[in-house]
């Protein structure tokens, strides 16, 4: 999809320019994963002040204070701010300024397992390794944070659990919580929602047992083929795209010969190569997809190698590297459309200046004039290299994992109504990122793909299932029934 607005937000680049001073990350809901118990003597307290009391965004500001006798590694600290969401709303987090640096802070949204009258969501603030440690008696300094509805509609803070309209200067605030290594050390959560792993919570967790669940209808492919003309590819239900059309550069060719297969370290891999010499006619996109749209609820997983740079030649092309499921849009804004994406943009695009990884759950869209109804999570960082990608879909939510850690959790309103196909593709949004006519090519590699129908697997269970297939010498299985 190529258009002047970001397809994840539907908002124009003019708004992005207005927010250029802030580090903004729009994220779906996530949950805290189980971590080792905190070491004794590592308590922290959280100070809070409220910068704004209404309008179209909330502005909770924090300081984390080490009140213990030993240093605290900030990457082990999480702070939660609890609020009551507007009906059907998704939210976007932003850091306006921080002593530790906005790049060293993270913000994700979660949904409470036990909603109360004043809280059904939370903003969880964390730290990257770059934030360093906090010495005894020291604090982080200002963390000037804010969040808003993703469509910038008004929000009401008066019914939010953690909101303190009278807190106009920093002071200890027990209506936010803090954990160190997953153990709560500060604050009081809304009743029944302590931010520690709950053994009664049915939400899958990356640390759950690694034993594969009972066998169900499954698609597994190790991509052990000789070339794009291998008859086994079609026999196994795949189509290597050769037809023209979008998304991406007008006039580009979808080149089946650029989908290749090879052995690396005894393992079979698929490679999608996208190349260009700076013109539509010279641009070669790549895609492979299942011919059947028979996949709906359950677990989808793939191991994918993203790349930041071309094999040779100038860098800077606005490349999109993907793993996704999709069905057809029968009409603009049709409510039975569905699409669930992992999309990595190593050189930015859609108004983003640099590398960013999106996960997006689509309800519907209209191509012209552009309008999108979706929920997305995003992290602005390099994801070059191999990554384990998992998305699970049940009757409650869509949950995305990257390398065993929850990346985004999206609402039930985005659940699929119709079955979908499974796709991998790599393409260029446009040619504006790099205008050189020197040839260059980008590779995206795929190790395997897995779908388990109607079963929610943890990332650990996915890994165990893949290991079992490979131990048994199984390179392909498809027991997922066709859609009547």
């Amino acid at each position: 999809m190529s258009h002047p607005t970001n397809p994840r937000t539907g908002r124009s680049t003019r708004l992005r320019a207005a927010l250029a001073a802030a580090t903004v990350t729009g994220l779906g809901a996530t949950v805290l994963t189980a971590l080792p118990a905190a070491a004794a003597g590592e308590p922290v307290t959280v100070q809070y002040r409220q910068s704004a009391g209404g309008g179209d965004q909330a502005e909770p500001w924090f300081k984390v204070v080490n009140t213990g006798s030993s240093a605290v590694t900030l990457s082990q600290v999480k702070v939660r701010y609890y609020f009551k969401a507007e009906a059907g709303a998704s939210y976007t987090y932003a850091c306006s300024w921080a002593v530790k640096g906005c790049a060293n802070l993270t913000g994700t949204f979660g949904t409470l397992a036990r909603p109360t009258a004043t809280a059904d969501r939370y903003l969880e603030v964390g730290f990257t390794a770059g934030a360093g440690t906090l010495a005894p008696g020291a604090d982080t300094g200002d963390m000037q944070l804010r969040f808003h509805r993703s469509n910038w509609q008004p929000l009401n803070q008066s019914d939010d659990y953690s909101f303190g309209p009278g807190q106009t200067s920093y002071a200890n605030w027990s209506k936010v919580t803090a954990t160190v290594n997953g153990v709560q050390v500060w604050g009081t959560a809304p009743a029944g929602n302590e931010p520690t792993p709950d053994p009664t919570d049915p939400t899958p967790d990356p640390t759950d047992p690694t034993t594969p669940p009972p066998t169900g209808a499954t698609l597994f492919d190790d991509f052990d083929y000789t070339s794009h003309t291998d008859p086994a590819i079609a026999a196994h239900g795949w189509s290597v795209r050769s037809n023209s059309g979008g998304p991406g550069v007008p006039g580009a060719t979808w080149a089946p010969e650029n989908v290749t297969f090879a052995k690396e370290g005894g393992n079979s891999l698929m490679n999608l190569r996208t190349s260009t010499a700076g013109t539509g006619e010279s641009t070669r996109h790549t895609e492979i997809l299942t011919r059947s749209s028979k996949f709906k609820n359950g677990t989808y997983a793939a191991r994918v190698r993203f790349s930041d740079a071309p094999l040779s030649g100038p860098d800077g092309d606005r490349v999109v590297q993907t793993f996704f499921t999709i069905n057809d849009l029968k009409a603009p804004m049709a409510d039975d459309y569905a699409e669930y994406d992992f999309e990595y943009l190593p050189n930015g695009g859609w108004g983003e200046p640099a590398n960013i990884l999106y996960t997006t759950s689509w309800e519907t869209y209209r191509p012209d004039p552009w309008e999108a109804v979706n929920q997305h999570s995003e992290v602005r960082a390099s994801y070059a290299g191999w990554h384990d990608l998992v998305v699970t879909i049940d009757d409650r939510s869509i949950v995305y994992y990257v390398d065993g850690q929850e990346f985004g959790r999206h609402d039930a309103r985005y659940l699929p109504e119709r079955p979908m196909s499974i796709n991998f593709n790599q393409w260029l949004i446009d040619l504006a990122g790099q205008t050189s006519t020197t040839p260059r090519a980008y590779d995206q590699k795929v190790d395997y793909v897995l779908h388990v129908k109607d079963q929610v697997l943890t990332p650990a269970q996915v890994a165990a299932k893949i290991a079992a297939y490979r131990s048994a010498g199984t390179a392909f299985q498809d027991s997922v029934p066709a859609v009547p």
Side-chain angles (χ1 to χ4, degrees):
M1 303 170 188
S2 180
H3 38 71
T5 58
N6 187 328
R8 306 299 154 255
T9 64
R11 298 189 65 80
S12 69
T13 54
R14 182 174 58 188
L15 173 61
R16 293 187 172 275
L19 295 175
T23 301
V24 182
T25 307
L27 292 168
T30 64
V31 296
L32 186 69
T33 57
L35 295 168
E42 290 185 336
V44 299
T45 61
V46 181
Q47 296 183 352
Y48 158 82
R49 63 162 291 192
Q50 182 59 39
S51 176
D56 60 4
Q57 61 183 342
E59 296 188 42
W61 294 7
F62 301 114
K63 291 182 182 179
V64 175
V65 184
N66 182 357
T67 53
S69 57
S70 59
V72 173
T73 301
L74 281 170
S75 62
Q76 298 173 349
V77 175
K78 304 285 187 184
V79 175
R80 285 189 181 180
Y81 177 95
Y82 302 88
F83 63 98
K84 182 75 170 179
E86 280 70 28
S90 62
Y91 292 86
T92 296
Y93 154 85
C95 172
S96 297
W97 184 79
V99 172
K100 288 290 183 181
C102 284
N104 292 320
L105 272 61
T106 63
T108 58
F109 294 98
T111 301
L112 291 181
R114 299 167 184 83
T116 71
T118 59
D120 55 13
R121 301 275 186 93
Y122 58 82
L123 167 65
E124 182 172 276
V125 180
F127 300 85
T128 69
T133 60
L134 200 60
D139 65 63
T140 58
D142 277 2
M143 296 187 291
Q144 297 181 7
L145 311 180
R146 55 191 175 88
F147 64 91
H148 57 83
R149 295 178 64 174
S150 297
N151 59 7
W152 284 97
Q153 292 299 304
L155 53 77
N156 174 29
Q157 297 188 74
S158 64
D159 58 354
D160 292 349
Y161 176 86
S162 295
F163 178 56
Q167 289 293 115
T168 56
S169 59
Y170 279 111
N172 288 355
W173 191 246
S174 63
K175 287 193 171 184
V176 296
T177 57
T179 59
V180 178
N181 266 342
V183 176
Q184 185 175 339
V185 297
W186 172 260
T188 303
N193 289 284
E194 290 71 23
T196 53
D198 181 352
T200 67
D201 188 347
T203 301
D205 188 284
T207 60
D208 283 350
T210 59
T211 304
T215 301
T218 301
L219 168 69
F220 168 72
D221 202 332
D222 213 15
F223 295 114
D224 190 3
Y225 302 109
T226 57
S227 72
H228 74 281
T229 60
D230 190 331
I233 294 177
H236 290 169
W238 294 100
S239 174
V240 183
R241 182 176 175 180
S242 60
N243 60 295
S244 61
V249 175
T253 299
W254 292 86
E257 66 274 13
N258 281 10
V259 178
T260 59
F261 303 87
K263 297 281 188 179
E264 291 189 12
N267 190 32
S268 55
L269 300 176
M270 176 171 66
N271 189 70
L272 282 69
R273 178 162 295 176
T274 292
S275 58
T276 189
T279 65
E281 293 74 17
S282 67
T283 301
R284 301 289 184 268
H285 294 157
T286 45
E287 181 168 23
I288 184 168
L289 64 154
T290 60
R291 287 176 296 148
S292 175
S293 293
K294 62 178 183 177
F295 309 97
K296 194 179 176 187
N297 285 16
T299 299
Y300 300 82
R303 183 165 173 79
V304 177
R305 187 183 186 277
F306 297 129
S307 57
D308 278 355
L311 301 172
S312 62
D315 196 2
D317 292 288
R318 294 168 178 168
V319 186
V320 184
Q321 301 172 346
T322 76
F323 165 46
F324 63 103
T325 68
I326 192 171
N327 59 32
D328 58 318
L329 181 72
K330 293 184 176 296
M333 303 303 286
D335 61 5
D336 62 349
Y337 177 74
E339 181 181 347
Y340 306 96
D341 300 332
F342 288 93
E343 292 175 309
Y344 179 53
L345 281 60
N347 293 315
W350 296 323
E352 292 292 332
N355 37 29
I356 185 169
L357 177 63
Y358 286 106
T359 60
T360 310
S361 301
W362 292 80
E363 171 64 20
T364 190
Y365 71 97
R366 178 175 56 217
D368 188 21
W370 177 256
E371 182 178 356
V373 181
N374 61 38
Q375 186 173 358
H376 66 280
S377 307
E378 58 195 40
V379 170
R380 292 172 176 84
S382 172
Y383 279 84
W386 284 104
H387 296 284
D388 295 305
L389 311 177
V390 177
V391 57
T392 64
I393 303 173
D394 59 17
D395 291 331
R396 299 177 302 168
S397 61
I398 306 104
V399 186
Y400 297 86
Y401 300 90
V402 177
D403 298 330
Q405 299 299 311
E406 188 171 314
F407 188 94
R409 180 178 294 264
H410 298 169
D411 300 341
R413 64 177 292 196
Y414 302 98
L415 293 173
E417 287 87 5
R418 291 189 289 124
M420 302 167 289
S421 63
I422 297 174
N423 303 52
F424 298 89
N425 67 18
Q426 184 181 218
W427 48 282
L428 303 183
I429 297 172
D430 53 37
L431 296 172
Q434 173 53 262
T435 59
S436 170
T437 57
T438 300
R440 60 269 188 190
Y442 297 81
D443 280 358
Q444 173 188 339
K445 295 183 179 181
V446 182
D447 185 0
Y448 67 81
V449 68
L450 173 73
H451 171 70
V452 182
K453 177 179 170 60
D454 296 331
Q455 291 185 0
V456 170
L457 276 64
T458 67
Q461 288 174 322
V462 167
K465 199 166 184 68
I466 299 305
Y469 277 124
R470 289 179 167 167
S471 178
T474 302
F476 176 81
Q477 178 185 15
D478 186 3
S479 57
V480 179
V483 175

